[in-house]
Amino acid sequence: MPYHLRFGEADPLRIRFAISPLWETHSAVRVLARPGKQGYHLPWMRRIASAARELDLGPLHLLMPLHGHSPDFLYPPPLGPAASFEDEIAAVRETDPALVLDDFERALADTPGAAGTAEGRRLLADPAGAVLRLAELLRTAWEALIAPDWPRLRALLEADVAYHSRRLAEGGLERLLGELHPAFAWDAGTATLEVAYRGEHIRPLDGQGLVLMPSVFTWPDVVSGFDPPWQPTVVYPARGIGGLWSASGDRTPEALGRLLGPVRADVLCALAEPMGTTALSHLLGRAPSTVSAHLAVLRDAGLLASRRYGHQVLYERTPLGIAVSQPGSG
């Protein structure tokens, strides 16, 4: 049975997007324990293999059953649209111990024998102490696995948010939810978002609205089921993951590099999704001033279009830009 998120009258007006470095850390830790989820992330896996071997991720993996409940307090919906890791981990440390024990019991029960292991007994015997240990372990995992690549990851996540925010504005909530992931289905008659997932979960939004959160390491799954007191949230795979770990030169046809120059060609080919100058500079590893200059030239040549979205200017390829950036087009 799917999860059911039931909208009230005010909830469609309280839809927002968010990005969470803590969630990406949690999902990356899960990927390390799930070979079937590595897929697009194999280049990242090879690069961080040595650092990962130095981490004792056993306590976190014990609370990540293959099917079932993971503790919501360890990876809560983000506090704001772009909360920092420091903000999020501070909130974890301040969790009510009563919530912690319930989360531990539910998660351990979903892995046969987990509660009886030495670590399982330790978690249940001292929930408050376990919170601090797990928070420190998450910090170590963040620093080793995610922080070095966070500018690149954030650029992709921000591009996803910009794209889907535009789709929400153009087509409304029903159209957006239908596009986010095949697991999502909107029932207009009951104003319910159905999320195809294992088990059954019913959550009235009760005026809290819904957080839509793109994720890199959640691929290929979607995640929901956050219980009160946590904000109702659905997590879905971000667009553009297929090219995330490739070097800029890997995306750029050689002939196009000869025609436009290698950096300008990289800029054009990197814009598979609408993106701002800062995000693009992170993705390409180039100074914002350099990227900005090349964007201006490509726009003047009719290969890019720009539009303002909030406080930033987004660039996207025109039909001509799409045509010339395809492999073999040179």
Side-chain angles (χ1 to χ4, degrees), residues 19-185:
I19 293 170
S20 170
L22 178 60
W23 179 269
E24 292 307 317
T25 304
H26 148 68
S27 297
V29 170
R30 183 180 287 271
V31 165
L32 292 176
R34 305 283 192 271
K37 287 176 61 67
Q38 293 169 4
Y40 291 126
H41 303 307
L42 287 175
W44 170 81
M45 289 284 298
R46 288 191 288 267
R47 196 172 69 252
I48 57 89
S50 177
R53 284 193 293 270
E54 300 297 318
L55 301 176
D56 177 15
L57 299 175
L60 290 174
H61 286 153
L62 192 65
L63 296 169
M64 295 177 176
L66 184 60
H67 303 302
H69 179 76
S70 292
D72 290 338
F73 85 89
L74 279 177
Y75 333 104
L79 304 172
S84 70
F85 180 84
E86 293 301 327
D87 291 337
E88 293 189 291
I89 205 67
V92 171
R93 291 195 187 96
E94 296 168 2
T95 307
D96 182 345
L99 290 175
V100 171
L101 181 58
D102 178 67
D103 257 346
F104 284 166
E105 290 175 341
R106 293 177 60 191
L108 293 171
D110 283 331
T111 300
T117 64
E119 182 60 39
R121 293 194 301 271
R122 187 182 181 192
L123 292 170
L124 295 172
D126 182 16
V131 170
L132 299 180
R133 288 193 298 112
L134 292 169
E136 188 57 33
L137 183 52
L138 282 167
R139 172 184 291 283
T140 303
W142 155 257
E143 293 172 350
L145 307 177
I146 300 299
D149 290 306
W150 182 241
R152 176 190 290 237
L153 298 175
R154 185 178 61 201
L156 185 139
L157 295 171
E158 289 177 345
D160 179 276
V161 169
Y163 174 85
H164 283 119
S165 296
R166 178 183 176 186
R167 299 298 285 173
L168 176 61
E170 292 175 344
L173 179 61
E174 183 173 2
R175 178 174 171 182
L176 171 69
L177 294 175
E179 294 177 351
L180 282 178
H181 195 275
F184 296 156

